[in-house]
Amino acid sequence: MAISNEAKILFEKLQAMHYREQLMQTFSNNLELPETERAKSTNFPKKVQQNMDQEDGYDVLTVWLDDKPVKGDLMMLHGGAFIMPISPAFNQLVVQFLKYGYRVCLPDYPLAPTALSQSRAWLLKVYRKWFEQSEGSHFLFGESAGANLALRLLLDLERQEQPCATELLSICPDLSFMASPEVIANDLILDADIMRTLQGHAALADFDFKTLDENKYVGSVHFDTGGNECNVPAVKQLTQQLAYNEKNDITVTISDGMIHDFMLWQMLPEAKEAIKAVDVFFQKNHLLTNK
């Protein structure tokens, strides 16, 4: 399928400005900083209502729109190579789900290298409190590193704690970033060689799924991946593994030509359609769960 003109123009700009190199340098620079000195954003439009809590010293922000009836509670886990806090681009994606009527929980989880080992237990604690205290249907969304965190969370949950549905955008299931040289070279966002070096800390073993037990239960999960991503082969392998368990409902969409985290580039028609499709996926599974 042909990509939009907007996508063509954006991808040409990304190449011309050496965006991949700049992003890798940003990751590397932030990895050297204490967590408290890494720039994060909790900026939202004025109409967005906010409630900030803390769990063991880390922020858990809840946002919603008063003029929208809440049709579900959504936990969203941001990406950033396990290194970066919540970003403005991620917040813009959050706003789109607020407009669809979700109340969104944003856990600002412990980061690499020193605190990442705490994030698995911390997220499980935060999720269980959120699940018990929030009303209505529950949904889970993770992008990039946040998708890895979300999948680990699903694997750690008891069956009765499972959300209605989970969306995993641009998951990186094989954190060794092994792919063919051609696939690696074509990725406009992630440099596989640099990512392999950056993610060499031991705590990442919790979030590497290349050898996942195929009998694991995760419920209803949709994987969204850009066709340009170096992790496409690993995503295909992971979805096949999870589909072996007949109790799982696993679907995957690989969007031709799209880049890593393409939903965050909201000027793209492809991003708008993908975000809308996530809402449809959530609501379909909400109806099935409540039958």
Side-chain angles (χ1 to χ4, degrees):
M1 183 182 296
I3 64 174
S4 66
N5 286 331
E6 292 90 338
K8 291 177 182 177
I9 293 170
L10 172 64
F11 299 164
E12 288 172 359
K13 287 182 178 178
L14 293 178
Q15 287 181 302
M17 66 186 289
H18 303 288
Y19 178 86
R20 180 171 65 179
E21 290 83 353
Q22 292 184 42
L23 181 63
M24 295 301 103
Q25 190 61 55
T26 298
F27 287 166
S28 182
N29 291 345
N30 275 269
L31 196 58
E32 301 299 319
L33 295 174
E35 280 190 89
T36 55
E37 294 181 21
R38 301 178 198 178
K40 69 177 179 180
S41 172
T42 54
N43 294 327
F44 286 93
K46 289 183 179 180
K47 63 180 180 178
V48 175
Q49 303 299 308
Q50 302 187 35
N51 181 65
M52 180 70 80
D53 288 317
Q54 281 208 330
E55 189 67 49
D56 298 332
Y58 289 90
D59 292 341
V60 181
L61 177 65
T62 302
V63 290
W64 69 95
L65 291 174
D66 275 341
D67 61 351
K68 292 283 185 181
V70 175
K71 64 182 183 184
D73 282 283
L74 171 61
M75 178 176 285
M76 296 183 68
L77 304 179
H78 66 87
F82 304 97
I83 297 167
M84 304 295 295
I86 293 176
S87 70
F90 186 75
N91 290 346
Q92 291 171 15
L93 179 62
V94 171
V95 169
Q96 298 309 308
F97 285 100
L98 298 181
K99 291 178 179 178
Y100 275 116
Y102 296 92
R103 179 169 45 220
V104 179
C105 176
L106 300 169
D108 205 8
Y109 53 84
L111 299 172
T114 56
L116 182 61
S117 60
Q118 306 169 31
S119 62
R120 180 176 178 181
W122 184 85
L123 270 175
L124 185 60
K125 183 178 181 180
V126 169
Y127 179 93
R128 283 176 167 158
K129 184 178 290 188
W130 168 77
F131 191 85
E132 291 173 0
Q133 294 179 351
S134 53
E135 300 176 357
S137 299
H138 296 86
F139 306 94
L140 182 61
F141 183 108
E143 57 94 3
S144 194
N148 287 55
L149 288 157
L151 180 55
R152 174 51 61 193
L153 178 60
L154 285 179
L155 295 169
D156 287 339
L157 292 173
E158 300 294 335
R159 185 72 64 93
Q160 68 272 16
E161 299 170 325
Q162 292 282 341
C164 295
T166 300
E167 166 74 17
L168 300 178
L169 168 64
S170 290
I171 193 170
C172 302
D174 178 2
L175 293 171
S176 63
F177 285 87
M178 299 304 295
S180 72
E182 181 181 7
V183 168
I184 288 173
N186 287 336
D187 194 318
L188 296 176
I189 304 297
L190 298 181
D191 184 309
D193 294 330
I194 294 177
M195 292 298 293
R196 197 179 302 120
T197 301
L198 288 173
Q199 305 202 22
H201 31 90
L204 281 172
D206 278 343
F207 312 108
D208 192 323
F209 302 108
K210 63 179 180 294
T211 58
L212 182 66
D213 180 353
E214 61 192 30
N215 294 315
K216 290 290 187 178
Y217 177 78
V218 292
S220 181
V221 182
H222 178 244
F223 292 81
D224 253 311
T225 299
N228 177 257
E229 300 191 48
C230 63
N231 270 301
V232 168
V235 171
K236 289 180 178 179
Q237 179 182 355
L238 174 62
T239 54
Q240 289 170 357
Q241 288 174 316
L242 291 172
Y244 277 118
N245 185 334
E246 294 181 355
K247 295 180 180 178
N248 288 333
D249 178 17
I250 307 298
T251 54
V252 58
T253 301
I254 299 175
S255 298
D256 291 345
M258 289 297 104
I259 57 176
H260 184 77
D261 275 352
F262 69 96
M263 284 187 208
L264 272 61
W265 303 86
Q266 291 178 41
M267 75 289 288
L268 302 180
E270 293 89 347
K272 294 181 174 67
E273 287 301 313
I275 295 167
K276 182 178 179 180
V278 175
D279 174 53
V280 171
F281 166 67
F282 283 160
Q283 292 309 303
K284 174 186 173 183
N285 280 279
H286 159 70
L287 293 173
L288 290 173
T289 303
N290 288 277
K291 276 189 175 181

